[in-house]
Amino acid sequence: MSTPTKALSDAGVSIWLDDLSRARIESGNLAELIATRDVVGVTTNPTIFQGAIGNTADHSYDERIAALSARGADVDEAIFELTTEDVRDAADLFRPVYDATAGVDGRVSIEVSPDLAHDTDATVAEAKKLWAKVDRPNTLIKIPATKAGLPAITAVLAEGISVNVTLIFSLERYAAVIDAYLAGIEQAQANGHDVSGIHSVASFFVSRVDTEIDKRLTAIGTEDALALKSKAGVANARLAYELFEQKFADARATALTDAGANVQRPLWASTGVKDPNLPDTLYVTELVAPGTVNTMPEKTLEATFDHGVVTGDTVTGNYADAHAVFDGLAAVGIDLVDATQLLEDEGVEKFIASWHDLQGTVTAALQSAPEGAR
Protein backbone atom coordinates (compact mmCIF):
# COMPACT_ATOMS: atom_id res chain seq x y z
CA MET A 1 0.00 0.00 0.00
CA SER A 2 1.31 3.43 -0.94
CA THR A 3 1.37 5.91 1.93
CA PRO A 4 2.70 9.47 2.28
CA THR A 5 5.69 8.19 4.26
CA LYS A 6 6.44 5.65 1.51
CA ALA A 7 6.15 8.44 -1.08
CA LEU A 8 8.56 10.53 1.00
CA SER A 9 11.05 7.68 1.11
CA ASP A 10 10.67 7.11 -2.64
CA ALA A 11 11.46 10.81 -3.17
CA GLY A 12 14.85 10.28 -1.52
CA VAL A 13 14.08 11.43 2.03
CA SER A 14 15.17 9.19 4.90
CA ILE A 15 12.67 9.33 7.78
CA TRP A 16 14.30 9.22 11.21
CA LEU A 17 12.33 9.34 14.44
CA ASP A 18 13.35 12.15 16.79
CA ASP A 19 12.77 10.14 19.95
CA LEU A 20 13.95 7.07 21.83
CA SER A 21 13.13 5.35 25.10
CA ARG A 22 13.55 1.95 26.73
CA ALA A 23 9.74 1.54 26.54
CA ARG A 24 9.74 2.14 22.76
CA ILE A 25 12.32 -0.60 22.32
CA GLU A 26 10.84 -3.17 24.71
CA SER A 27 7.18 -2.68 23.71
CA GLY A 28 7.88 -3.26 20.03
CA ASN A 29 6.74 0.28 19.17
CA LEU A 30 10.01 1.17 17.46
CA ALA A 31 9.97 -2.03 15.42
CA GLU A 32 6.38 -1.22 14.41
CA LEU A 33 7.37 2.27 13.22
CA ILE A 34 10.12 0.71 11.11
CA ALA A 35 7.60 -1.71 9.59
CA THR A 36 4.64 0.62 9.08
CA ARG A 37 5.95 4.22 8.94
CA ASP A 38 9.11 3.81 6.85
CA VAL A 39 11.31 4.90 9.76
CA VAL A 40 14.97 4.12 8.99
CA GLY A 41 16.81 5.82 11.87
CA VAL A 42 16.59 7.53 15.24
CA THR A 43 18.01 10.70 16.76
CA THR A 44 18.33 11.46 20.45
CA ASN A 45 19.35 14.46 22.53
CA PRO A 46 19.47 15.36 26.24
CA THR A 47 15.85 16.59 26.18
CA ILE A 48 14.65 13.26 24.75
CA PHE A 49 16.49 11.24 27.39
CA GLN A 50 15.21 13.49 30.17
CA GLY A 51 11.69 12.94 28.89
CA ALA A 52 12.20 9.16 28.77
CA ILE A 53 14.05 8.53 32.03
CA GLY A 54 12.13 11.26 33.87
CA ASN A 55 8.73 9.81 32.89
CA THR A 56 7.34 8.60 36.22
CA ALA A 57 4.73 6.45 34.44
CA ASP A 58 7.48 4.50 32.68
CA HIS A 59 9.07 1.90 34.96
CA SER A 60 11.26 0.30 32.29
CA TYR A 61 14.39 1.95 33.72
CA ASP A 62 13.71 0.99 37.37
CA GLU A 63 15.56 -2.32 37.34
CA ARG A 64 18.61 -0.88 35.60
CA ILE A 65 18.76 2.11 37.93
CA ALA A 66 18.50 -0.20 40.95
CA ALA A 67 21.41 -2.29 39.64
CA LEU A 68 23.49 0.83 39.02
CA SER A 69 22.69 2.05 42.54
CA ALA A 70 23.71 -1.32 43.97
CA ARG A 71 27.13 -1.10 42.40
CA GLY A 72 27.64 2.45 43.63
CA ALA A 73 27.44 4.21 40.27
CA ASP A 74 27.45 8.00 40.40
CA VAL A 75 24.96 10.03 38.39
CA ASP A 76 27.14 10.63 35.33
CA GLU A 77 28.11 6.95 35.12
CA ALA A 78 24.45 5.97 35.43
CA ILE A 79 23.37 8.33 32.64
CA PHE A 80 26.21 7.07 30.45
CA GLU A 81 25.18 3.45 31.02
CA LEU A 82 21.43 4.01 30.56
CA THR A 83 21.67 6.11 27.40
CA THR A 84 24.33 4.03 25.66
CA GLU A 85 22.35 0.85 26.36
CA ASP A 86 19.25 2.37 24.76
CA VAL A 87 21.26 3.48 21.73
CA ARG A 88 23.01 0.11 21.41
CA ASP A 89 19.74 -1.81 21.50
CA ALA A 90 18.13 0.56 19.01
CA ALA A 91 21.16 0.21 16.74
CA ASP A 92 20.75 -3.56 16.83
CA LEU A 93 17.09 -3.15 15.89
CA PHE A 94 18.10 -0.99 12.90
CA ARG A 95 20.98 -3.23 11.82
CA PRO A 96 19.03 -4.83 8.94
CA VAL A 97 18.27 -1.34 7.57
CA TYR A 98 21.94 -0.39 7.93
CA ASP A 99 23.02 -3.52 6.04
CA ALA A 100 20.38 -3.08 3.32
CA THR A 101 21.38 0.55 2.67
CA ALA A 102 25.16 0.01 2.78
CA GLY A 103 25.40 2.06 5.96
CA VAL A 104 23.49 5.10 4.74
CA ASP A 105 20.50 4.56 7.03
CA GLY A 106 19.72 2.41 10.05
CA ARG A 107 21.50 5.06 12.10
CA VAL A 108 21.04 5.92 15.79
CA SER A 109 22.51 9.17 17.15
CA ILE A 110 23.78 9.92 20.66
CA GLU A 111 25.01 13.32 21.75
CA VAL A 112 28.08 14.34 23.71
CA SER A 113 27.27 16.15 26.95
CA PRO A 114 26.10 19.69 26.14
CA ASP A 115 28.22 20.91 29.04
CA LEU A 116 31.17 20.35 26.68
CA ALA A 117 29.79 22.40 23.76
CA HIS A 118 32.51 25.05 24.12
CA ASP A 119 35.39 22.65 24.92
CA THR A 120 36.98 21.07 21.85
CA ASP A 121 39.28 18.56 23.56
CA ALA A 122 36.64 17.34 26.03
CA THR A 123 34.14 16.92 23.18
CA VAL A 124 36.60 14.77 21.22
CA ALA A 125 37.37 12.64 24.30
CA GLU A 126 33.69 12.04 25.07
CA ALA A 127 32.86 11.28 21.42
CA LYS A 128 35.52 8.55 21.41
CA LYS A 129 34.21 7.20 24.73
CA LEU A 130 30.60 7.06 23.47
CA TRP A 131 31.64 5.42 20.19
CA ALA A 132 33.61 2.74 22.02
CA LYS A 133 30.88 2.11 24.59
CA VAL A 134 27.99 1.75 22.13
CA ASP A 135 30.29 -0.27 19.87
CA ARG A 136 27.96 -0.41 16.88
CA PRO A 137 28.96 0.73 13.37
CA ASN A 138 25.53 2.27 12.77
CA THR A 139 25.91 4.82 15.56
CA LEU A 140 26.36 8.54 14.92
CA ILE A 141 27.99 10.72 17.57
CA LYS A 142 26.26 14.10 17.79
CA ILE A 143 28.52 17.13 18.12
CA PRO A 144 27.11 20.68 18.15
CA ALA A 145 28.23 23.10 15.43
CA THR A 146 29.60 25.64 17.89
CA LYS A 147 32.92 27.32 17.14
CA ALA A 148 34.59 24.88 19.55
CA GLY A 149 32.64 22.03 17.97
CA LEU A 150 34.02 22.56 14.47
CA PRO A 151 37.59 21.33 15.16
CA ALA A 152 36.13 18.53 17.29
CA ILE A 153 34.06 17.37 14.31
CA THR A 154 37.21 17.18 12.18
CA ALA A 155 39.20 15.37 14.89
CA VAL A 156 36.47 12.79 15.56
CA LEU A 157 35.93 12.02 11.86
CA ALA A 158 39.71 11.67 11.50
CA GLU A 159 39.47 8.75 13.96
CA GLY A 160 37.04 6.97 11.65
CA ILE A 161 34.00 7.81 13.80
CA SER A 162 30.70 8.74 12.11
CA VAL A 163 29.26 12.10 13.20
CA ASN A 164 25.90 13.86 13.33
CA VAL A 165 26.61 17.60 13.45
CA THR A 166 23.78 19.28 15.34
CA LEU A 167 22.46 22.77 16.11
CA ILE A 168 23.14 24.36 12.72
CA PHE A 169 21.11 27.49 12.10
CA SER A 170 22.98 29.70 9.61
CA LEU A 171 24.32 29.19 6.11
CA GLU A 172 27.68 30.63 7.19
CA ARG A 173 28.05 28.07 9.97
CA TYR A 174 26.83 25.30 7.66
CA ALA A 175 29.60 26.15 5.18
CA ALA A 176 32.11 25.84 8.03
CA VAL A 177 30.57 22.48 9.02
CA ILE A 178 31.04 21.11 5.49
CA ASP A 179 34.67 22.30 5.54
CA ALA A 180 35.15 20.59 8.93
CA TYR A 181 33.69 17.39 7.49
CA LEU A 182 35.93 17.44 4.41
CA ALA A 183 38.99 18.12 6.56
CA GLY A 184 38.03 15.19 8.82
CA ILE A 185 37.66 12.82 5.89
CA GLU A 186 40.99 13.98 4.43
CA GLN A 187 42.66 13.27 7.77
CA ALA A 188 40.90 9.92 8.12
CA GLN A 189 42.16 9.00 4.66
CA ALA A 190 45.70 10.02 5.67
CA ASN A 191 45.32 7.95 8.85
CA GLY A 192 44.57 4.86 6.81
CA HIS A 193 40.85 4.58 7.54
CA ASP A 194 38.41 3.22 4.98
CA VAL A 195 36.57 6.47 4.29
CA SER A 196 33.67 4.65 2.62
CA GLY A 197 32.65 3.45 6.08
CA ILE A 198 32.53 6.93 7.63
CA HIS A 199 29.14 8.66 7.45
CA SER A 200 27.90 12.05 8.57
CA VAL A 201 24.79 14.21 8.56
CA ALA A 202 24.51 17.94 9.11
CA SER A 203 21.44 18.77 11.19
CA PHE A 204 19.95 22.05 10.03
CA PHE A 205 17.24 23.34 12.37
CA VAL A 206 14.05 24.65 10.78
CA SER A 207 11.06 25.54 12.98
CA ARG A 208 13.13 27.39 15.58
CA VAL A 209 14.26 29.78 12.83
CA ASP A 210 10.64 30.66 12.03
CA THR A 211 9.80 31.10 15.71
CA GLU A 212 12.59 33.66 16.23
CA ILE A 213 12.28 35.47 12.88
CA ASP A 214 8.47 35.65 13.11
CA LYS A 215 8.77 37.26 16.54
CA ARG A 216 11.03 39.94 15.03
CA LEU A 217 8.78 40.43 11.99
CA THR A 218 5.76 40.90 14.27
CA ALA A 219 7.69 43.52 16.25
CA ILE A 220 8.50 45.41 13.03
CA GLY A 221 4.84 45.18 12.13
CA THR A 222 4.87 46.62 8.61
CA GLU A 223 2.89 45.04 5.79
CA ASP A 224 6.11 43.93 4.08
CA ALA A 225 7.43 42.41 7.31
CA LEU A 226 4.23 40.56 8.16
CA ALA A 227 4.06 39.13 4.62
CA LEU A 228 7.34 37.31 5.31
CA LYS A 229 6.14 35.47 8.41
CA SER A 230 6.69 31.69 8.46
CA LYS A 231 8.87 31.79 5.36
CA ALA A 232 12.37 32.07 6.81
CA GLY A 233 12.75 28.50 8.09
CA VAL A 234 11.95 26.79 4.79
CA ALA A 235 13.94 29.36 2.78
CA ASN A 236 16.96 28.91 5.04
CA ALA A 237 16.84 25.12 4.65
CA ARG A 238 16.39 25.32 0.87
CA LEU A 239 19.43 27.57 0.60
CA ALA A 240 21.34 25.13 2.79
CA TYR A 241 20.60 22.41 0.22
CA GLU A 242 21.78 24.72 -2.55
CA LEU A 243 25.02 25.22 -0.61
CA PHE A 244 25.29 21.44 -0.11
CA GLU A 245 25.01 20.90 -3.87
CA GLN A 246 27.64 23.54 -4.59
CA LYS A 247 30.16 22.45 -1.97
CA PHE A 248 30.00 18.75 -2.80
CA ALA A 249 30.43 19.45 -6.51
CA ASP A 250 33.75 21.28 -6.08
CA ALA A 251 37.17 19.75 -6.68
CA ARG A 252 38.02 19.18 -3.01
CA ALA A 253 34.85 17.19 -2.32
CA THR A 254 34.84 15.25 -5.58
CA ALA A 255 38.45 14.14 -5.00
CA LEU A 256 37.21 12.51 -1.79
CA THR A 257 33.98 11.05 -3.15
CA ASP A 258 35.89 9.68 -6.16
CA ALA A 259 38.08 7.88 -3.58
CA GLY A 260 35.01 6.31 -1.99
CA ALA A 261 34.06 8.92 0.60
CA ASN A 262 30.42 9.72 1.30
CA VAL A 263 28.79 13.12 1.06
CA GLN A 264 27.63 14.61 4.35
CA ARG A 265 23.86 14.48 4.01
CA PRO A 266 21.69 17.46 4.99
CA LEU A 267 19.28 16.60 7.81
CA TRP A 268 16.20 18.68 8.60
CA ALA A 269 15.82 18.92 12.37
CA SER A 270 13.26 20.74 14.50
CA THR A 271 10.54 19.82 12.01
CA GLY A 272 7.65 19.84 14.46
CA VAL A 273 5.46 22.86 13.65
CA LYS A 274 5.28 25.23 16.62
CA ASP A 275 2.75 27.71 15.18
CA PRO A 276 -0.76 26.14 15.28
CA ASN A 277 -1.79 28.32 12.33
CA LEU A 278 0.63 26.50 10.03
CA PRO A 279 0.10 23.12 8.34
CA ASP A 280 1.44 20.43 10.67
CA THR A 281 3.45 18.82 7.86
CA LEU A 282 4.96 22.09 6.55
CA TYR A 283 8.58 21.26 7.37
CA VAL A 284 8.24 17.85 5.75
CA THR A 285 6.38 18.45 2.50
CA GLU A 286 8.18 21.72 1.70
CA LEU A 287 11.64 20.19 2.23
CA VAL A 288 11.58 17.15 -0.03
CA ALA A 289 14.92 16.66 -1.78
CA PRO A 290 16.97 13.61 -2.74
CA GLY A 291 19.62 12.45 -0.29
CA THR A 292 18.21 14.26 2.74
CA VAL A 293 17.07 13.13 6.17
CA ASN A 294 14.01 14.44 7.98
CA THR A 295 14.06 13.64 11.69
CA MET A 296 10.54 13.95 13.06
CA PRO A 297 8.88 13.86 16.45
CA GLU A 298 6.21 11.17 16.47
CA LYS A 299 3.39 13.72 16.19
CA THR A 300 4.85 15.04 12.93
CA LEU A 301 5.52 11.51 11.68
CA GLU A 302 1.90 10.50 12.27
CA ALA A 303 0.59 13.70 10.67
CA THR A 304 2.72 13.01 7.61
CA PHE A 305 1.54 9.39 7.42
CA ASP A 306 -2.09 10.48 7.81
CA HIS A 307 -2.36 13.44 5.45
CA GLY A 308 1.03 14.54 4.14
CA VAL A 309 0.95 15.49 0.45
CA VAL A 310 4.26 14.52 -1.14
CA THR A 311 4.62 15.85 -4.69
CA GLY A 312 8.31 15.16 -5.28
CA ASP A 313 11.25 17.55 -4.97
CA THR A 314 10.10 20.84 -3.39
CA VAL A 315 13.58 22.26 -2.83
CA THR A 316 15.82 22.49 -5.89
CA GLY A 317 13.31 24.34 -8.05
CA ASN A 318 12.71 26.96 -5.38
CA TYR A 319 16.14 28.52 -4.85
CA ALA A 320 15.14 31.83 -6.45
CA ASP A 321 12.12 32.14 -4.16
CA ALA A 322 14.31 31.34 -1.14
CA HIS A 323 16.82 34.03 -2.10
CA ALA A 324 13.91 36.46 -2.54
CA VAL A 325 12.75 35.70 1.02
CA PHE A 326 16.25 36.45 2.34
CA ASP A 327 16.37 39.69 0.34
CA GLY A 328 12.98 40.64 1.79
CA LEU A 329 14.11 39.90 5.35
CA ALA A 330 17.17 42.11 4.89
CA ALA A 331 15.03 44.87 3.38
CA VAL A 332 12.74 45.06 6.43
CA GLY A 333 15.68 45.07 8.84
CA ILE A 334 16.01 41.45 9.99
CA ASP A 335 19.57 40.68 11.12
CA LEU A 336 19.92 36.97 10.29
CA VAL A 337 23.43 36.76 11.75
CA ASP A 338 22.18 38.00 15.10
CA ALA A 339 19.08 35.80 15.02
CA THR A 340 20.90 32.58 14.16
CA GLN A 341 23.66 33.19 16.73
CA LEU A 342 20.97 33.73 19.37
CA LEU A 343 19.32 30.46 18.31
CA GLU A 344 22.62 28.57 18.58
CA ASP A 345 23.27 30.02 22.05
CA GLU A 346 19.72 29.21 23.16
CA GLY A 347 19.93 25.72 21.66
CA VAL A 348 23.06 24.91 23.66
CA GLU A 349 21.53 26.37 26.83
CA LYS A 350 18.30 24.40 26.39
CA PHE A 351 20.22 21.14 26.05
CA ILE A 352 22.39 22.03 29.06
CA ALA A 353 19.23 22.68 31.10
CA SER A 354 17.77 19.33 29.99
CA TRP A 355 21.04 17.58 30.85
CA HIS A 356 21.04 19.08 34.33
CA ASP A 357 17.39 18.08 34.76
CA LEU A 358 18.36 14.55 33.71
CA GLN A 359 21.18 14.54 36.26
CA GLY A 360 18.68 15.57 38.92
CA THR A 361 16.19 12.90 37.87
CA VAL A 362 18.79 10.11 37.87
CA THR A 363 20.34 11.29 41.16
CA ALA A 364 16.92 11.06 42.83
CA ALA A 365 16.25 7.65 41.25
CA LEU A 366 19.61 6.27 42.44
CA GLN A 367 18.95 7.52 45.95
CA SER A 368 15.42 6.08 46.09
CA ALA A 369 16.33 2.67 44.65
CA PRO A 370 15.06 -0.20 46.86
CA GLU A 371 17.24 -0.66 49.94
CA GLY A 372 18.01 -4.25 49.03
CA ALA A 373 19.45 -3.14 45.71
CA ARG A 374 21.93 -0.77 47.30
Side-chain angles (χ1 to χ4, degrees), residues 1 3 5 44 49 60 71 83 94-95 110 135 137 143 167 219 224 247 260-261 298 308 311 333 338 368 373-374:
M1 184 181 72
T3 64
T5 53
T44 69
F49 280 126
S60 56
R71 77 182 206 204
T83 58
F94 278 102
R95 185 60 190 255
I110 185 168
D135 193 26
I143 299 174
L167 288 177
D224 286 347
K247 294 278 276 184
E298 187 171 21
T311 57
D338 178 76
S368 62
R374 283 188 278 149

Side-chain angles (χ1 to χ4, degrees), residues 179-229:
D179 288 341
Y181 170 74
L182 295 173
I185 297 300
E186 288 165 347
Q187 291 181 27
Q189 192 178 46
N191 291 339
H193 290 288
D194 175 8
V195 293
S196 69
I198 306 170
H199 287 256
S200 183
V201 292
S203 297
F204 210 86
F205 281 53
V206 187
S207 67
R208 293 190 197 182
V209 173
D210 270 342
T211 300
E212 179 60 30
I213 298 298
D214 285 1
K215 190 191 332 177
R216 297 183 182 210
L217 290 169
T218 300
I220 293 167
T222 64
E223 186 177 340
D224 286 347
L226 296 178
L228 289 164
K229 286 185 69 174

Side-chain angles (χ1 to χ4, degrees), residues 142-189:
K142 285 179 89 170
I143 299 174
T146 56
K147 288 178 181 174
L150 294 172
I153 292 158
T154 297
V156 171
L157 288 163
E159 297 286 336
I161 296 171
S162 295
V163 173
N164 176 342
V165 182
T166 188
L167 288 177
I168 308 172
F169 294 95
S170 73
L171 296 173
E172 293 77 14
R173 186 56 57 84
Y174 180 40
V177 165
I178 295 174
D179 288 341
Y181 170 74
L182 295 173
I185 297 300
E186 288 165 347
Q187 291 181 27
Q189 192 178 46

